[in-house]
Every structure is written in structure tokens, then in C-alpha cells.
Amino acid sequence: MKYLIILLLLITSCGSTNNNCLLLGEWKSVSFTSNLAIDGNKDGVYNQDVLLEDECTEVVIRFKNNGIAERLYKNSRTNCEFQKSILNYIVEKDKILFTVSGMKQKHKFKIENCQLHIYGVLDSGKTETGKKTILINSVFEKE
């Protein structure tokens, strides 16, 4: 199983021969975009750019070759202090399955131009239409 995960990681790397494009390693968030405009900072202005609504939001994911990833994250909900969680992950073609504390989340992803794109992370937020569930698309760059 361990070798299958490594093989899948190599197959899903970006098209160039640059080894920095492989999923393994440390990725730092550069953008978060929601499918609906939200007012995260309660200033009355709604944006789809999550970083405009919560400026201290930052995520770092360290993918290891054993199917385990470390996630460091901070936002206004954590008082802008980093929190750490351990994730199990499995890559299946263009999807990545994360398991944290027994909860499973499957997301589409791609690595393009040495940027990691993870699509459809569920979150909640105040929107102009009153909806609470939003989908967030995240972009990370290799550290």
C-alpha cells in the first residue's frame, strides 16, 4: 500500500520535470475563493476572496510519503494562532481523500504550474442570500 501511494503521487505530479511540483513536501496557502460572496469580518462588504474577509487566514500542509499530512492553520476562529492537525490522505487520480479524526472528505485537486489546487472544501459563512454552506477552492504554492 505504501508503494501504491508513492506511485500515485508521482503520477499526479505536474507535467514538467521539476521535482518541486510533486505533491510530497510543504505547501503554503496563497488564495481561498468561495462560491458565494461572504462577510466573514462583518463589515457589511461581501467578497468571494476569503482572505479579504479574514486576513489572518493561512494554511500550511506538509504531505509525507507515508499517507500522512500535517496541517497547520490559523484564522480569526483560532485567534490568529496556528493550530496543528494530522491528516491521513489517499490520492485517487484527480481526487484526494483526507481523513481527520475519523471524518472523511474527498476533494478534486490538481497540480498546475507548481500550484496545488484543492476544490470544494465545505465551510460555513454569512452570505448575501443567507445561505450558510459555502464551497472554498484553495490554492497553495510549494515552500
Side-chain angles (χ1 to χ4, degrees):
M1 182 68 176
K2 180 177 178 180
Y3 297 108
L4 177 61
I5 291 171
I6 293 169
L7 177 63
L8 288 172
L9 292 173
L10 293 173
I11 290 171
T12 58
S13 66
C14 68
S16 78
T17 57
N18 183 347
N19 285 337
N20 285 337
C21 292
L22 298 176
L23 182 61
L24 296 178
E26 183 168 302
W27 296 84
K28 183 178 178 185
S29 59
V30 292
S31 73
F32 299 100
T33 307
S34 65
N35 64 326
L36 300 170
I38 60 170
D39 183 16
N41 58 8
K42 300 178 178 88
D43 65 356
V45 178
Y46 292 81
N47 291 288
Q48 285 181 279
D49 182 342
V50 175
L51 295 178
L52 292 175
E53 294 300 318
D54 192 343
E55 293 177 4
C56 78
T57 296
E58 186 177 335
V59 178
V60 175
I61 303 176
R62 296 181 186 120
F63 289 95
K64 299 178 180 183
N65 66 357
N66 59 358
I68 295 176
E70 294 177 347
R71 178 181 62 177
L72 298 170
Y73 62 96
K74 67 178 181 173
N75 57 32
S76 59
R77 292 181 223 166
T78 66
N79 294 318
C80 297
E81 294 180 14
F82 274 109
Q83 304 291 314
K84 181 179 176 181
S85 60
I86 302 297
L87 311 166
N88 292 308
Y89 71 93
I90 298 173
V91 174
E92 300 171 344
K93 296 184 183 180
D94 66 341
K95 294 181 178 63
I96 188 164
L97 173 67
F98 290 109
T99 305
V100 59
S101 300
M103 200 165 91
K104 296 178 187 268
Q105 298 179 358
K106 187 180 278 191
H107 305 288
K108 287 189 86 166
F109 85 103
K110 70 178 177 181
I111 298 174
E112 183 175 80
N113 298 323
C114 290
Q115 288 188 326
L116 171 63
H117 299 257
I118 300 177
Y119 302 101
V121 176
L122 289 174
D123 202 350
S124 60
K126 180 185 175 198
T127 68
E128 291 176 294
T129 59
K131 294 181 180 178
K132 297 286 184 187
T133 301
I134 57 174
L135 295 174
I136 298 178
N137 296 324
S138 309
V139 179
F140 297 83
E141 289 185 346
K142 197 77 174 260
E143 281 291 291

